[in-house]
Amino acid sequence: MEQSTSKIIGEPMNRVDGPAKVTGRAEYAGDHQVEGGIAEGFIVEAPAAPGKIVALDVADAEAADGVVSVLTYKTVPQQKPYGSPEDEGRFTQSHAVLENDRVRHFGEPVALVVAETLEQARYAASLVRVEIETEEGVFNALDHKDQAEKPDSVDGLDEVDTQDGDFETQFSQSTHKLEVSYLTGAQHASAMEPHVTVAQWDGETLIVHMAIQIVASAVSAYANTLGIDEANVRIISPFTGGGFGSKLGVHNEAILAALAAKQCGKAVRVAQTRRNLFANGPHRSRHLQELKLGADASGKLRAVRHSSLASMARNYPFAEAPASPTRASYAADAIHTFHRMVKADIPKVDSMRAPGEAIGTLTYETAIDELAEMCGVDPVEFRILNEPTQDPTSGHAFADRRLLDCIRTGAAKFGWSGRVKPGSRMAGRKLVGRGMAVAIRPNTLSPAQAEVKLAADGRLVARLDMTDIGTGTYTILTQIAAETLSMPASQVLVQLGDSRFPETAGSGGSFGASSSGSALLDACAKLKSALSERLTESGVSANAFAMKDGRVLANGKRIELADLIGAEGLSADGAVDPDNHAKGQADYSYGVQFAEVEVDADTGEIRVRRLLGVFDAGRILNRKTARSQLMGGMIFGIGGALLEESLMDDRFGSFMTRDFAEYHIAVNRDVPDLEVHILDGYSEHSNPLGSKGIGELGICGAGPAIANAVHEATGVRVRKFPVHMEDLLDRLPAV
Amino acid sequence: MYPLMLTVNGTVHDVEIDPRRSLLDLVRETLGLKGPKKGCDHGQCGACTMIVNGRRINSCLSLAVTHEGDTVITVEGLSEAGELHPLQQAFIDKDALQCGFCTPGQLCSAAALVDEIREGLPSVVTGEVGVAMTNEEIRERMSGNLCRCGAYNNIVEAIRTVSGDKR
């Protein structure tokens, strides 16, 4: 299919990696094959923690058929201490495993059994005997509020706490006051591809095929863990089977594979099993969120206080910021936000899709709904009434805010006609309710570089260490290059996911497309200037030109590219520097979501009937893949509202819900027809492309819209998430 | 090691295998076909779905040695002579995938689903009027194939566009 070369960015072009993915040819980390074969590593988890290993017997495992080696803290190659150096940050610090006889948390690896086949490794792993002398641990922040600390920093925000205005006075003088607390459950990102790494050593060089979102920081993590030069680490990750935050950094299997490959002298694959993931992958902590809201008689917000308490894994500094959306959603005379953490002896707590907003809009937007109801103001009107003219906490101007456009468009498209008395709308034996909520997510730009090379045959190769985790990166980068250089998309080849390519910030925080895209845009613009110069030198002066099939078309002339750039071709490097953009401005993506649910009047079963979102994310780079990402986010939001919860046994600090039979994500039939509307836009202050982040926006607001609809359906306010039928059962209206 | 003969994507394979090996690991590791994916190894996600003797199964839950003489189709076997199966093309056109990890299973499941509906096999949502290619039937029948990226609606749409296809 030949695209028009004039306007390609934004077009709903099919995914360029689609054919590879539908035929099974796309190579994910676990698919990688190595000449000479790959040995298989199987993790032996600590059966209890925290504590000390007092017995570890691997003799039977070592004697089992096919076993190549058993790694334990006694035999593992040298590593740098876990967490060092301290100032490096969590993704790049040492992720040492099998460090010593200490076990930090339940499920931490105490051994890795390497065998010729997976069956042999798994069986031999069952023969390892380990005994832990346990100590008192902290597993649930709510049981240890006295240990709550202000963290050094929270994810994505400049300030841990904010205190704007006089909260106590404004709250006490408010006509309508709401004081509520919510529990949001722990969650696991549950990408379909479990964490997997294939590692091998070529002399001093470590070559790794792994499932990862950010290649460059994983290189640093290996170097810092193994005490080797970054130049001696090569990571290859052309396809990653979903990340959602869980693959931002490296996890235990990644380090184990590298150590085992060293020990065994051959390539080793360590694939976390789905059950491993719940202890050896990261998770979103459960949170206690307390909200105090006050409004005047007309529904104007006067006082907002949002505080959050959660667990932080000991020695792994990450604190989620659920009060992030609260700082920027509405104007109020006083807004105070606080984040507190308790260090706990649990698996890593880390970012999961839309950290902060996913669970922060869930609570804040349901509390706002409740306050609007108290004030007797329609929830749509309430939000319009409290629209700020500048960022409410920082006081900065908004880079671009069209939330009201989203709200009004959404209300019209959904057919919002105000609220009905809760519990009063029936369809058969189903209670039907509607609700809405706002979506907001900070938009950021990260440093990125790119290189492009044009060959004499007219083909362009673009290279970045950026990843495509399902987001559509290959496709939008192809579009950016093709449009900038006025050439057919079919002649652009984008290569990603290799640490030898120019560094980007990878995929995360919804900054991937804007950051890597802006760097590529710069590289292509430079290539274009260089080509223009060559044209001028050859006597063709043209303001504009196009390229096709190895020829340049300018001023009605056709010039062979080979004559202009020779056999060696033409290259250019590009970059983007965030310091040059959105200085001192509050930059967010926005949206609104409207939901309709039905609740079975007898059983309390909740089904989503409709979900409609309207979003503003600046310039859309590909209408097809953007819509898919937004829909995927909305479905993630259904999970957060109604399904997903990782339940911990607080006696032992162990997750009990360790597979898809226990940890429920939305399945096909849980999802109704979804409506996604995207406002046309161009956010000139955000970055050179004018685009904003889109990958996490769809989750924000989806959950609270559903919860607010459940309230209208039943009259019940459930202040814990996910909302389950048993939370409604004994409170359903008598109908 | 046990002998096993079976046909995968039209090719007869005669192998000696560990009796503990699942059909999924046989195809991926012994035969080197990496299309089918291991998402859970518990029969809960559907990424490993293959079509065995015309019916879709979770290949991770099935021991390979139980498949003597069977005919197996994986995602690699859906396309013929380099031409995409209409479902594969529809998945691309409707953007019925994002990360692509569940896609091989979704496609095998969808291909078998089309046959099941054509044969009139009922599901839990089939009403008195009988089996028809409705969105609800597709959703129900595709609910054994998880997609964390959330491509479900596009998957339903892709299946609908080819449901009348005879291939």
Side-chain angles (χ1 to χ4, degrees):
Chain A
M1 184 180 61
E2 205 72 333
Q3 301 281 336
S4 144
T5 55
S6 56
K7 187 181 179 308
I8 303 177
I9 298 174
E11 290 300 301
M13 198 172 103
N14 280 348
R15 244 168 241 273
V16 296
D17 49 349
K21 285 179 173 174
V22 299
T23 53
R25 282 188 287 111
E27 189 186 283
Y28 299 82
D31 301 337
H32 182 64
Q33 306 192 56
V34 177
E35 211 169 310
I38 300 177
E40 300 281 352
F42 200 87
I43 293 171
V44 180
E45 295 187 347
K52 185 181 172 192
I53 300 171
V54 290
L56 184 56
D57 180 359
V58 300
D60 289 349
E62 283 175 334
D65 274 354
V67 170
V68 181
S69 181
V70 178
L71 279 76
T72 67
Y73 73 91
K74 295 172 184 169
T75 63
V76 77
Q78 186 71 32
Q79 302 168 83
K80 296 281 185 186
Y82 179 88
S84 65
E86 268 186 24
D87 54 357
E88 281 271 327
R90 70 190 196 278
F91 296 143
T92 53
Q93 68 180 26
S94 167
H95 287 251
V97 289
L98 307 177
E99 230 183 336
N100 48 41
D101 60 359
R102 299 280 317 157
V103 285
R104 285 189 294 269
H105 63 81
F106 188 99
E108 186 181 353
V110 293
L112 182 80
V113 177
V114 184
E116 286 163 20
T117 70
L118 178 64
E119 292 83 358
Q120 291 166 337
R122 185 171 56 206
Y123 172 67
S126 74
L127 303 176
V128 173
R129 280 183 291 276
V130 59
E131 205 176 306
I132 313 284
E133 194 176 275
T134 56
E135 300 148 10
E136 195 78 6
V138 173
F139 305 129
N140 183 356
L142 299 188
D143 295 338
H144 299 274
K145 286 184 181 171
D146 55 313
Q147 294 178 27
E149 298 168 17
K150 183 179 174 181
D152 294 336
S153 63
V154 285
D155 182 58
L157 298 176
D158 295 334
E159 307 285 341
V160 175
D161 298 340
T162 58
Q163 297 182 61
D164 294 284
D166 180 349
F167 174 82
E168 291 306 331
T169 304
Q170 294 295 337
F171 186 71
S172 66
Q173 292 175 1
S174 293
T175 312
H176 300 287
K177 296 175 192 170
L178 180 72
E179 212 166 325
V180 284
S181 61
Y182 294 83
L183 288 168
T184 56
Q187 298 177 334
H188 279 81
S190 303
M192 295 313 300
E193 175 196 32
H195 300 277
V196 55
T197 301
V198 179
Q200 64 187 118
W201 291 81
D202 179 9
E204 295 299 301
T205 303
L206 172 66
I207 303 166
V208 171
H209 287 75
M210 70 186 305
I212 192 80
Q213 292 177 229
I214 308 174
V215 168
S217 57
V219 168
S220 305
Y222 272 117
N224 281 332
T225 307
L226 304 175
I228 58 176
D229 281 348
E230 291 195 357
N232 286 340
V233 180
R234 178 155 184 221
I235 293 178
I236 300 164
S237 186
F239 292 101
T240 293
F244 316 111
S246 67
K247 293 170 185 165
L248 289 167
V250 303
H251 297 292
N252 295 338
E253 97 292 341
I255 305 302
L256 287 168
L259 295 169
K262 187 101 186 167
Q263 180 110 327
C264 303
K266 65 179 298 187
V268 173
R269 171 169 61 187
V270 182
Q272 289 201 32
T273 64
R274 183 56 62 181
R275 293 185 72 79
N276 283 149
L277 279 173
F278 286 82
N280 285 283
H283 72 282
R284 166 178 275 143
S285 176
R286 54 188 149 180
H287 284 72
L288 169 67
Q289 297 183 48
E290 294 174 314
L291 281 143
K292 283 170 89 169
L293 307 180
D296 70 14
S298 72
K300 288 273 297 175
L301 271 172
R302 294 191 62 168
V304 174
R305 187 183 194 281
H306 189 170
S307 64
S308 158
L309 177 71
S311 297
M312 177 186 274
R314 213 180 287 284
N315 301 321
Y316 193 75
F318 173 81
E320 186 164 354
S324 164
T326 308
R327 294 182 186 175
S329 295
Y330 307 111
D333 297 306
I335 301 177
H336 289 200
T337 59
F338 304 92
H339 297 97
R340 293 293 175 269
M341 306 298 290
V342 172
K343 291 192 175 111
D345 304 287
I346 57 176
K348 276 179 197 162
V349 174
D350 210 325
S351 295
M352 182 168 142
R353 200 174 189 178
E357 281 69 22
I359 54 171
T361 62
L362 207 45
T363 56
Y364 190 43
E365 286 291 310
T366 45
I368 287 288
D369 193 72
E370 199 164 343
L371 185 64
E373 190 183 30
M374 288 170 79
C375 296
V377 178
D378 178 85
V380 168
E381 293 306 318
F382 188 92
R383 286 165 171 87
I384 294 170
L385 183 66
N386 288 291
E387 172 72 2
T389 53
Q390 60 183 33
D391 188 51
T393 43
S394 69
H396 292 153
F398 287 117
D400 182 30
R401 179 173 168 119
R402 298 192 297 160
L403 178 60
L404 292 189
D405 286 357
C406 292
I407 291 176
R408 292 191 173 112
T409 305
K413 290 195 180 290
F414 185 78
W416 182 260
S417 51
R419 291 216 104 156
V420 299
K421 182 173 169 289
S424 68
R425 193 193 277 130
M426 297 281 294
R429 289 299 295 162
K430 307 290 183 190
L431 295 153
V432 177
R434 293 171 158 200
M436 57 85 62
V438 153
I440 179 170
R441 173 81 191 148
N443 180 55
T444 57
L445 186 65
S446 298
Q449 297 164 41
E451 67 182 30
V452 287
K453 180 163 189 188
L454 181 66
D457 64 0
R459 292 183 178 278
L460 182 89
V461 175
R463 288 175 162 174
L464 310 85
D465 80 353
M466 178 62 185
T467 48
D468 188 330
I469 61 173
T471 39
T473 319
Y474 281 108
T475 311
I476 56 125
L477 293 182
T478 299
Q479 291 173 273
I480 290 166
E483 179 169 314
T484 311
L485 288 164
S486 303
M487 64 186 292
S490 58
Q491 293 186 325
V492 176
L493 177 66
V494 174
Q495 297 183 325
L496 304 175
D498 188 326
S499 57
R500 292 191 177 169
F501 298 161
E503 185 172 333
T504 68
S507 302
S510 297
F511 52 64
S514 296
S515 306
S516 61
S518 293
L520 181 63
L521 182 72
D522 185 50
C524 291
K526 285 179 174 144
L527 187 78
K528 192 174 185 176
S529 318
L531 203 53
S532 279
E533 278 174 31
R534 298 280 176 100
L535 274 171
T536 310
E537 285 164 15
S538 70
V540 182
S541 187
N543 290 328
F545 61 84
M547 284 192 287
K548 200 179 174 189
D549 301 331
R551 292 192 189 86
V552 177
L553 313 170
N555 280 353
K557 292 181 188 153
R558 287 166 172 272
I559 305 122
E560 294 294 325
L561 249 182
D563 295 339
L564 283 178
I565 63 174
E568 72 274 17
L570 194 60
S571 303
D573 297 328
V576 66
D577 178 359
D579 289 343
N580 298 334
H581 302 279
K583 267 188 182 159
Q585 285 173 320
D587 196 357
Y588 295 86
S589 301
Y590 299 99
V592 68
Q593 309 228 23
F594 288 85
E596 182 177 297
V597 304
E598 63 179 40
V599 178
D600 190 287
D602 300 306
T603 67
E605 184 188 6
I606 307 161
R607 304 293 294 173
V608 181
R609 285 159 62 118
R610 284 180 73 193
L611 192 58
L612 176 148
V614 180
F615 303 98
D616 169 32
R619 183 188 194 182
I620 299 303
L621 303 175
N622 178 318
R623 286 195 296 283
K624 187 178 281 192
T625 55
R627 175 176 173 271
S628 295
Q629 274 205 78
L630 288 165
M631 285 209 307
M634 291 162 77
I635 293 169
F636 231 88
I638 294 174
L642 302 177
L643 300 167
E644 297 180 32
E645 183 170 21
S646 301
L647 287 169
M648 181 173 276
D649 185 331
D650 287 331
R651 296 170 302 171
F652 307 113
S654 58
F655 281 115
M656 300 181 285
T657 47
R658 293 184 69 173
D659 58 34
F660 287 128
E662 305 285 345
Y663 187 84
H664 295 165
I665 65 170
V667 304
N668 203 315
R669 214 180 136 210
D670 290 322
V671 181
D673 288 334
L674 299 176
E675 262 189 71
V676 180
H677 302 278
I678 307 174
L679 300 185
D680 282 332
Y682 186 90
S683 183
E684 60 179 331
H685 299 293
S686 299
N687 57 64
L689 281 168
S691 57
K692 295 197 208 182
I694 212 165
E696 295 164 307
L697 182 60
I699 308 170
C700 309
I706 291 166
N708 293 337
V710 169
H711 165 70
E712 195 193 74
T714 61
V716 181
R717 288 279 181 196
V718 179
R719 297 200 189 88
K720 66 155 264 282
F721 291 100
V723 179
H724 282 165
M725 59 200 295
E726 63 268 24
D727 301 316
L728 302 174
L729 200 52
D730 58 0
R731 298 157 75 188
L732 288 170
V735 289
Chain B
M1 300 297 268
Y2 286 71
L4 172 70
M5 196 193 282
L6 81 176
T7 304
V8 179
N9 300 331
T11 304
V12 178
H13 295 274
D14 198 347
V15 292
E16 293 274 322
I17 58 157
D18 187 323
R20 297 170 294 189
R21 182 147 283 200
S22 68
L23 177 60
L24 175 62
D25 286 333
L26 171 90
V27 169
R28 282 182 56 84
E29 310 305 331
T30 311
L31 307 182
L33 291 171
K34 300 292 190 176
K37 296 291 185 270
K38 186 181 284 187
C40 72
D41 222 11
H42 277 42
Q44 296 166 346
C45 79
C48 67
T49 305
M50 296 177 193
I51 302 170
V52 178
N53 301 334
R55 292 278 179 258
R56 51 183 168 154
I57 67 164
N58 287 319
S59 64
C60 72
L61 281 188
S62 196
L63 290 171
V65 286
T66 65
H67 291 283
E68 176 69 30
D70 284 355
T71 299
V72 177
I73 296 172
T74 69
V75 69
E76 289 94 340
L78 290 179
S79 47
E80 281 173 32
E83 198 185 324
L84 294 182
H85 184 286
L87 273 168
Q88 291 173 311
Q89 188 60 50
F91 266 55
I92 296 173
D93 293 339
K94 298 296 177 187
D95 209 32
L97 58 96
Q98 291 182 42
C99 81
F101 197 79
C102 73
T103 309
Q106 300 276 0
L107 280 162
C108 286
S109 214
L113 173 155
V114 171
D115 289 339
E116 287 162 18
I117 290 197
R118 197 173 290 145
E119 290 168 35
L121 292 175
S123 81
V124 71
V125 301
T126 304
E128 285 175 8
V129 287
V131 179
M133 188 66 83
T134 62
N135 283 0
E136 196 62 4
E137 282 280 8
I138 297 171
R139 283 186 181 125
E140 164 60 23
R141 291 166 192 259
M142 291 301 290
S143 284
N145 291 85
L146 304 183
C147 169
R148 186 52 157 167
C149 299
Y152 294 134
N153 299 63
N154 292 347
I155 289 169
V156 172
E157 221 182 308
I159 294 172
R160 285 211 67 140
T161 60
V162 299
S163 55
D165 193 86
K166 294 282 175 259
R167 203 165 138 188

